[in-house]
Amino acid sequence: MKWDVEYTDDFGEWWAGLSEDEQESLDASVRLLEDRGPNLGFPHSSGINGSRHSHMRE
């Protein structure tokens, strides 16, 4: 099962300022997140405390 990964306009602006190498590195982590969802652990993601939705990752 592939997980949906959403991002904000702020993220898009931040992404545009990254170097190509930084974008490639981050893209690899996002693809892992799509594959593993909330089971993807540190250092690629971390839990969000206080969310009304369980298993939220950032």
Side-chain angles (χ1 to χ4, degrees), residues 22-35:
E22 291 170 325
Q23 288 179 350
E24 287 177 13
S25 177
L26 185 61
D27 183 62
S29 293
V30 171
R31 290 182 189 277
L32 285 172
L33 182 59
E34 288 175 330
D35 289 339

